[in-house]
Amino acid sequence: MTSITLDNLHIRYPRQPHPVLDGLALAVQSGELLALLGPSGSGKSTILKLIAGIERPDTGDICFDGQSILSIPANRRNAVLMFQKAYLFPFMSIEENISFGLKVQGAACATIRAAVRRMLELVELPGIERKFPAQLSGGEQQRVALARALVTRPRVLMLDEPLSSLDTNVRATLQEAIRRIQRELGLTTILVTHDLSEAMVLADRVALLLDGRIEACAAPRVLFQRPPTRNAARFVGVSTFLEGTVEQCHLQSTLGRLSLPHNTAGPSRPATFAIRPEHLRLLNGAADEASNALPGTITDMIYRGEATEYQVRIADQQVRVRQFSADTDHAPGTVVWVQFPPEHLFEVEGA
Amino acid sequence: MFRRCKEIGHAAHGARTKQDVLHCFMMHQRLFATTYTLTRLVLYLVLLAPVAVFVLHAFSVRWFYPQVLPAEWTLEPLLRQLGNADTREALWNSTQIALLVSVLSLLVGYPAARVLGLRSFRGKSIVYLLLFLPTIIPPVATGIGLNILFLRLQLTGTIFGVALVHLIPVLPYVVFTLASVFARYDINFEHQARVLGASGWRIFQTVTLPLVLPGLMVAGLFAFLISWSEYLLTLLIGGGRVLTLPLLLFSLVSGGNPTSISALALLFVALPALAVALTSRYLGTEAGIRFQGGAGLGRGDK
């Protein structure tokens, strides 16, 4: 079990205007699965390469259990990185591939054979020792790569979008497999992904990486329901932001006056609140002050199967509303009341 | 093709039925097959005719004007050539030099090609141009210049000196071949091996070498073939003391005996032909195919 601390990491590639990582700090607890979530080009993979030792930071420090590992070469860090592609050595059999790490360590033949068999059972592909990588499907190759990464019992496992090249069904099965194995072995794991739902499914905690910095780091539920900043909120699918002044548990916003949760008492101040599209409700009849609703006109409707999405214009601002009960359709042009349940309104930082 | 048949059929004899169209289609196919075979035969003829003349001369005695083919066949000229001390020395020298050049050029070319294929840096195209220069500059110029240097280093007239100077025409080909191998080589294979605990030397042995081996074989073959048929640089640096097959062949040609020329020419072609055959055979085997179609050798998406 190993904890990882990243401290003030800077890295900048030559001839590029912006640094890839700019003062990044992050702590991964022992035995946890942390997802690094972010758009492509946000520096996620670079972080893994720094921890693995394939690249070096310009400044900053990386510690395992409080001890700096920067002076340890990549092949002695015992931190295994698994890439998007399986990178099975094409000229080696599956057994030779999986046992690569053990052979490097100089393990005995009998130990190796037993370990390979155990690993193949763990990834649910028993009996394929004699096959070659080219004979396996993409999903099977990724499983073998996972077995190869796990066989040496690494201190840290890093997964760089290992499932993004696979089709949806295979991906779901492999997500389950990764989750199960990681919990079983209690491995400190960092998963890089640009897929929000994958991060939600797999991670104990999610760190959102935007522009080379950690924008937010929280448990999946917290990040999804209460993202702390405006950029984080946008990334997890929030599009409705209400700017205005908070006074006496009310928000006097550009859209209108709304009640807020009761813990927002205090002196009057400017603030931005946000709400998830699925927490907004469309009221059929007219509404009063008590229902905390604002009138608007429906401009667009998209039927998505499990939900229906409406674009509602309220006082020149577009508000996205996601309704799960699709019994009633509201045609574009209809005037509706949009309810803002106070318990779902949350404050975000940043303009 | 089928559609064209249909059109032709309609236009030419107003064919409507399925059978007519099918018949027309089969005729076209037959015509195509015939053309293909014919082209192949012509190509064989053009490529093999010069060699055939050598074979006829080398294995015959008393082949006079009105006869189309020689009256008597014999191995005697070939055996005489093999028994000749000069020929044996030249054959041995040529083999030694070509092998040495293959090894040296791979040793020098590998690091250069790796950098050129994997890294991008300012002035890369200039480096490529410089590497290409030896094939543009006349070898006489470089040869005479190097002659002075090699004299001072006491390398003239030695096998090693000749092998060194052969690197000039050989290296561009070796570096270009290997650079193209590394241009589509995925360095992440090595990164993967490294994070799994392998040291630099072990990675080279167990991962890199098997991945680039087919490329190394082709580059090595190029080196061998170019060195094998090099004449001018051998003459300039060898100074007549290092006798290779091309030198011997030239002196025989001025002698003008078609039978011995042909026998020696066949010997000259034999070893390279064998090398080409073995290499192409290796590249066609399971190992080569697995390498080419293996679990993705293309560059990674990241």
Side-chain angles (χ1 to χ4, degrees):
Chain A
M1 303 284 257
T2 305
S3 67
I4 309 167
T5 325
L6 309 179
D7 188 24
N8 195 27
L9 287 179
H10 282 270
I11 187 166
R12 182 190 209 124
Y13 292 139
R15 278 178 278 146
Q16 280 191 359
H18 300 292
V20 183
L21 297 179
D22 188 10
L24 181 121
L26 183 65
V28 188
Q29 281 147 31
S30 177
E32 101 174 314
L33 197 160
L34 179 105
L36 271 176
L37 180 66
S40 49
S42 58
K44 298 168 303 208
S45 302
T46 308
I47 295 178
L48 295 195
K49 283 183 184 162
L50 290 176
I51 298 174
I54 296 169
E55 284 183 30
R56 285 186 65 84
D58 297 337
T59 60
D61 201 3
I62 301 169
C63 298
F64 285 1
D65 290 330
Q67 286 183 324
S68 175
I69 53 152
L70 279 185
S71 54
I72 303 173
N75 54 329
R76 295 216 209 97
R77 287 192 187 182
N78 209 1
V80 177
L81 174 56
M82 193 178 142
F83 293 94
Q84 184 177 359
K85 277 172 59 184
Y87 287 113
L88 300 180
F89 306 122
F91 43 85
M92 292 185 195
S93 71
I94 300 306
E95 177 162 30
E96 287 167 326
N97 261 290
I98 295 178
S99 61
F100 186 86
L102 289 175
K103 275 196 202 129
V104 168
Q105 291 175 356
C109 246
T111 326
I112 289 177
R113 204 163 304 128
V116 169
R117 194 168 347 103
R118 204 173 50 243
M119 279 341 286
L120 280 176
E121 273 162 19
L122 193 67
V123 297
E124 292 169 340
L125 285 173
I128 60 160
E129 283 96 335
R130 297 265 159 271
K131 287 196 177 178
F132 277 86
Q135 296 170 283
L136 304 184
S137 72
E140 287 170 333
Q141 290 188 12
Q142 280 296 359
R143 281 180 202 222
V144 172
L146 184 65
R148 180 178 64 177
L150 292 173
V151 77
T152 52
R153 295 287 167 133
R155 294 178 79 179
V156 172
L157 176 66
M158 286 170 284
L159 308 167
D160 189 354
E161 311 216 13
L163 309 177
S164 60
S165 57
L166 305 174
D167 65 55
T168 322
N169 291 335
V170 182
R171 195 186 312 174
T173 339
L174 268 178
Q175 279 176 351
E176 274 167 38
I178 288 177
R179 211 168 114 99
R180 175 174 54 82
I181 293 167
Q182 191 267 337
R183 301 265 149 94
E184 235 167 73
L185 304 178
L187 263 176
T188 309
T189 307
I190 305 181
L191 168 81
V192 154
T193 179
H194 64 260
D195 181 355
L196 178 65
S197 69
E198 185 166 289
M200 297 285 133
V201 168
L202 286 175
D204 297 315
R205 276 197 311 149
V206 180
L208 181 61
L209 193 67
L210 295 175
D211 303 322
R213 292 185 314 109
I214 300 288
E215 185 75 26
C217 184
R221 194 177 292 273
V222 176
L223 185 74
F224 195 74
Q225 306 281 2
R226 293 275 188 277
T229 67
R230 195 165 173 143
N231 286 335
R234 275 211 197 91
F235 196 87
V236 299
V238 177
S239 56
T240 307
F241 298 97
L242 308 158
E243 284 153 31
T245 322
V246 183
E247 46 191 345
Q248 289 152 7
C249 294
H250 277 81
L251 176 71
Q252 189 59 48
S253 76
T254 43
L255 297 186
R257 188 176 159 84
L258 290 168
S259 310
L260 289 177
H262 294 298
N263 55 3
T264 48
S268 161
R269 62 186 171 87
T272 306
F273 276 75
I275 187 163
R276 290 203 63 84
E278 59 269 24
H279 290 148
L280 290 167
R281 229 167 285 153
L282 294 181
L283 301 180
N284 286 321
D288 51 19
E289 175 83 4
S291 58
N292 208 28
L294 298 169
T297 315
I298 290 183
T299 57
D300 198 9
M301 184 196 92
I302 302 167
Y303 181 65
R304 289 196 187 276
E306 83 278 13
T308 312
E309 266 180 29
Y310 295 97
Q311 293 287 343
V312 186
R313 199 173 64 236
I314 306 176
D316 292 335
Q317 190 177 336
Q318 287 290 343
V319 172
R320 195 158 60 97
V321 182
R322 210 168 143 88
Q323 295 286 90
F324 286 101
S325 56
D327 335 325
T328 45
D329 274 356
H330 300 273
T334 321
V335 175
V336 290
W337 285 80
V338 182
Q339 190 181 35
F340 293 75
E343 69 274 20
H344 288 308
L345 281 166
F346 57 91
E347 192 173 351
V348 293
E349 291 167 23
Chain B
M1 179 173 261
F2 190 77
R3 183 183 294 164
R4 231 185 81 217
C5 283
K6 224 169 178 175
E7 281 163 14
I8 291 168
H10 276 290
H13 25 262
R16 288 285 145 91
T17 63
K18 243 182 201 167
Q19 261 116 358
D20 278 357
V21 173
L22 205 67
H23 180 69
C24 172
F25 175 62
M26 277 162 65
M27 289 241 304
H28 261 273
Q29 212 172 28
R30 213 170 296 157
L31 191 71
F32 177 72
T34 319
T35 325
Y36 176 71
T37 319
L38 225 88
T39 317
R40 224 170 50 173
L41 283 177
V42 169
L43 267 179
Y44 284 157
L45 203 71
V46 169
L47 291 174
L48 291 178
V51 185
V53 172
F54 284 137
V55 173
L56 289 177
H57 271 295
F59 293 112
S60 64
V61 275
R62 289 195 293 279
W63 184 19
F64 301 117
Y65 161 64
Q67 301 164 329
V68 179
L69 287 173
E72 263 179 71
W73 296 93
T74 170
L75 278 174
E76 202 265 336
L78 203 65
L79 292 175
R80 198 175 56 220
Q81 276 300 335
L82 277 174
N84 185 318
D86 275 356
T87 311
R88 293 227 294 248
E89 190 196 335
L91 198 63
W92 176 230
N93 281 347
S94 276
T95 312
Q96 269 181 298
I97 292 169
L99 285 177
L100 196 58
V101 168
S102 301
V103 172
L104 284 178
S105 67
L106 288 182
L107 284 178
V108 178
Y110 177 89
R114 198 181 151 96
V115 171
L116 284 171
L118 286 177
R119 304 262 173 87
S120 58
F121 51 88
R122 211 170 289 188
K124 187 161 149 178
S125 50
I126 294 173
V127 174
Y128 266 110
L129 187 72
L130 284 176
L131 274 170
F132 208 65
L133 272 184
T135 55
I136 305 167
I137 294 175
V140 182
T142 38
I144 289 173
L146 279 173
N147 199 4
I148 297 161
L149 178 72
F150 275 36
L151 268 172
R152 202 169 295 163
L153 295 173
Q154 296 184 321
L155 283 169
T156 45
T158 63
I159 297 271
F160 185 66
V162 171
L164 269 189
V165 83
H166 278 190
L167 286 178
I168 293 171
V170 162
L171 267 178
Y173 293 95
V174 169
V175 173
F176 279 113
T177 311
L178 288 181
S180 76
V181 169
F182 277 110
R184 50 181 217 104
Y185 176 77
D186 194 335
I187 191 78
N188 275 340
F189 276 108
E190 291 180 18
H191 290 157
Q192 184 68 76
R194 186 176 297 278
V195 297
L196 287 169
S199 62
W201 173 239
R202 194 176 182 111
I203 293 171
F204 177 74
Q205 280 177 295
T206 57
V207 177
T208 314
L209 207 55
L211 281 175
V212 299
L213 191 61
L216 287 178
M217 303 262 302
V218 172
L221 182 69
F222 273 150
F224 188 93
L225 295 181
I226 295 166
S227 164
W228 186 261
S229 48
E230 181 63 45
Y231 171 75
L232 193 61
L233 289 172
T234 314
L235 188 69
L236 283 172
I237 299 299
R241 272 177 290 159
V242 179
L243 184 66
T244 62
L245 277 177
L247 295 188
L248 190 65
L249 199 58
F250 265 86
S251 67
L252 263 187
V253 166
S254 55
N257 179 348
T259 306
S260 13
I261 294 171
S262 299
L264 191 63
L266 280 185
L267 281 177
F268 181 64
V269 171
L271 204 58
L274 191 71
V276 171
L278 285 177
T279 310
S280 63
R281 203 189 145 141
Y282 163 76
L283 292 177
T285 58
E286 211 186 323
I289 287 165
R290 195 182 299 137
F291 164 80
Q292 283 150 11
L297 196 75
R299 274 200 181 281
D301 311 22
K302 295 253 107 179

